[in-house]
Amino acid sequence: MNFTLSEEHIMIRNAAREFAKTELLPGVIERDNKQEFPEELVKKMANLGFMGIMVDPKYGGSGMDTISYVLIMEELSKIDASASVMVSVNNSLVCYGLEAYGTEEQKQKYLTKLASGQSIGAFCLSEPEAGSDATSQKTTAIDKGDHYLLNGTKNWITNGGRSDIYLVIAQTDKEKGHKGINAFIVEKGMEGFHIGPKEDKLGIRGSDTHTLQFNDVKVPKGNRIGEDGFGFKFAMKTLSGGRIGIAAQALGIASGAYELALKYSKERKAFGTEIANHQAIAFKLADMYTDIEASRMLVMKAAWDKDQGNNYDKSSAMAKLHASDTAMKHTVEAVQIHGGNGFVKEYHVERLMRDAKITQIYEGTSEIQKIVISRSVLRD
Ligand code: CAA
């Protein structure tokens, strides 16, 4: 085991940290208030190679490893989880899905644009009646010879209004259950594809979340990903990597809140001394630090498993479960340490607390992660 980051990893982490402080921080409260997508910042992140972190440079990516990806995700998420979820979905659900399972033609046509940041991607699995129970897809794609006819509704789609390329999961043969599900590449502007209104959310308010409607959208046969019936496994395999990204996001939210709480507790005085000198506060900091370090180990282990070519279904689920619970618990504590100031937007911790909640929900709720982990430990 080696717990030391390489020089290259430290450089990458520092570059992301610097970017987050100088570029994401200045407008983060305003974007949260206005629910504003960080349009200009996406271009800057693309210039830094953050939109296709793990993609092979021959497809326009940065060719970095998963450890680099989680380091970048943590640093961005300390400041702006709305920007980081956009990065995460583009990288680990859309780019990875296409690079691992797309045809060469699909990679040339779509992945190159997504990895270089010319296009943004969305991953469309959830539906009004198929969230955790992802096999119950109501969206249908009927085989019409040279194309599929796509009909249905997708919910809570990250980057939903702002994407150019959408990976859409749909039922092609109901009789076959999960084996009758396929994944398709849908382009913005295809006839019959409508983007619904933007969701007004508790947290990650700067991220662009929409309902999508497909009414007789003609999707060319060449836009199906993988063999007929591969769609559910495609979603599951892709989400395993996505969960590493969200775990790193949760880690960043928790560590961002911890760093603010630590600083505040060394400055704020009560009863004649800095509040950090009161055991009630010092013990909170000790618990936060310990849980965050434990989450970091799980996140790194999951990323390392992926880089080593090991199965990472269980390790990514454990990382997401632990890191998201840590983020929720300790952002609440960070607000508590800040007292009245914690309830005020300019101190940032209330936003981190609101942003933390979604990490226990999207890309598989905490309860779904427990299904994945328990099935794995009972099987092994
Ligand atoms: N890799 C490969 N295959 C997998 C797999 C994996 N990780 N997980 C399951 N499968 C396969 C199984 O082996 C099985 O195949 P066989 O029949 O050939 O053996 C098939 O898929 C069905 O698996 P299950 O019987 O386990 O399916 P299930 O109905 O019990 O569901 C589940 C399993 C884990 C609960 C799954 O439905 C799930 O993960 N649900 C959560 C969905 C989710 O994460 N949604 C998030 C939406 S995306 C999002 O949030 C993006 C965003 O914008 C931020």
Side-chain angles (χ1 to χ4, degrees), residues 45 101 103 121 144 166 203 325:
M45 287 194 277
Y101 305 109
T103 61
K144 296 282 181 187
Y166 298 75
D325 284 352

Side-chain angles (χ1 to χ4, degrees), residues 69-83:
Y69 171 53
V70 298
L71 291 170
I72 293 167
M73 277 299 296
E74 180 182 353
E75 294 304 325
L76 302 182
S77 307
K78 280 183 187 176
I79 308 283
D80 188 347
S82 296

Side-chain angles (χ1 to χ4, degrees), residues 85 88-89 93 101 122-127 130-136 155-159 178-179 204 209 230 232-240 243 246 311-313 320 358 361-365 367-369 371-372 375 379:
V85 70
S88 182
V89 167
L93 296 183
Y101 305 109
F123 183 83
C124 314
L125 173 67
S126 302
E127 298 186 353
S132 292
D133 183 8
T135 50
S136 296
N155 268 25
W156 313 298
I157 304 303
T158 304
N159 304 338
H178 73 78
K179 291 191 168 77
I204 56 161
T209 313
F230 179 62
F232 188 71
K233 290 194 179 174
F234 169 81
M236 291 297 108
K237 283 170 180 279
T238 307
L239 277 166
S240 278
R243 288 166 186 166
I246 300 304
N311 184 302
Y312 50 93
D313 295 339
K320 182 177 182 291
I358 192 63
I361 298 173
Y362 58 20
E363 300 202 24
T365 61
E367 292 74 15
I368 290 295
Q369 306 314 321
I371 292 180
V372 174
R375 282 184 183 171
R379 190 178 53 233

Side-chain angles (χ1 to χ4, degrees), residues 80-124:
D80 188 347
S82 296
S84 75
V85 70
M86 190 273 300
V87 168
S88 182
V89 167
N90 199 69
N91 274 277
S92 49
L93 296 183
V94 184
C95 285
Y96 173 79
L98 284 171
E99 188 169 26
Y101 305 109
T103 61
E104 188 54 34
E105 204 184 332
Q106 290 168 348
K107 290 180 202 181
Q108 292 297 345
K109 187 167 178 193
Y110 299 111
L111 179 59
T112 48
K113 288 188 186 154
L114 288 158
S116 61
Q118 285 172 60
S119 297
I120 298 176
F123 183 83
C124 314

Side-chain angles (χ1 to χ4, degrees), residues 135-152:
T135 50
S136 296
Q137 294 288 306
K138 295 272 189 300
T139 297
T140 54
I142 306 300
D143 191 340
K144 296 282 181 187
D146 65 339
H147 67 271
Y148 286 90
L149 206 56
L150 185 67
N151 278 288

